[in-house]
Amino acid sequence: GAGVSQSPRYKVAKRGQDVALRCDPISGHVSLFWYQQALGQGPEFLTYFQNEAQLDKSGLPSDRFFAERPEGSVSTLKIQRTQQEDSAVYLCASSYQGEVESAPLHFGNGTRLTVT
Amino acid sequence: AQSVAQPEDQVKVAEGNPLTVKCTYSVSGNPYLFWYVQYPNRGLQFLLKYITGDNLVKGSYGFEAEFNKSQTSFHLKKPSALVSDSALYFCAVRLGGYNKLIFGAGTRLAVHP
């Protein structure tokens, strides 16, 4: 399995619950991104990691959203006290970053979060 | 602000006909432009990119895109559409130095037999 793996594939949460979404990037990929894709929309940038360092979190919509990548590989996106507006597909992507500029992002299949 | 626009929500073409999916961009400096495709319940798959060089870029599955600096456009094209090309197509522009992509709203391509 050489692709980006995300789990769970689907998640239903009651409003107010906390959720954790996992991303396993392609082995050796330094860069890791989280995107949020609302129904019928393009993906919206949430946050970016280079190895374990979170270099850009400008897209996180509120302080209820938190992401980590403690060992520079697997990443977790956590949403606290979920709200209905958090319902979306959360996409993880990774890329090789080095001398190859603008290497394409490799996306996982996403986690569809539904908040009821 | 740097952005991309996809003016068509949906494009319909007959199988075997040429297809064009439009994208315009607004960036400062030299643009790095991308096309991705998304099939139902799947993540995005890279099709092609323009960084520099030839204005006509060839990518996966027979797709190509034409970069036009004067019109600030990067339209996706294919000479002969297949029913299996039916999917959601996203244009994107790179920001920053670490491949952060900003996506358009997407265009749904429907190819009918």
Side-chain angles (χ1 to χ4, degrees), chain A residues 9 35 37 56 102 105, chain B residues 32 36 41 49 98-99 101:
Chain A
R9 190 78 176 83
Y35 282 83
Q37 186 177 20
D56 186 344
S102 297
L105 300 188
Chain B
Y32 287 15
Y36 283 79
N41 298 314
K49 66 180 178 182
Y98 47 81
N99 295 334
L101 295 183

Side-chain angles (χ1 to χ4, degrees), chain B residues 33-83:
Chain B
L33 298 161
F34 299 78
W35 276 101
Y36 283 79
V37 60
Q38 187 175 35
Y39 296 99
N41 298 314
R42 302 294 299 274
L44 279 70
Q45 296 178 28
F46 170 75
L47 280 179
L48 50 79
K49 66 180 178 182
Y50 172 83
I51 305 300
T52 186
D54 290 340
N55 290 343
L56 187 63
V57 179
K58 295 188 182 297
S60 306
Y61 312 121
F63 283 94
E64 57 190 26
E66 186 172 10
F67 171 69
N68 187 317
K69 188 172 183 178
S70 63
Q71 296 185 3
T72 62
S73 66
F74 188 56
H75 300 334
L76 182 69
K77 300 181 179 183
K78 188 173 183 180
S80 178
L82 300 173
V83 173

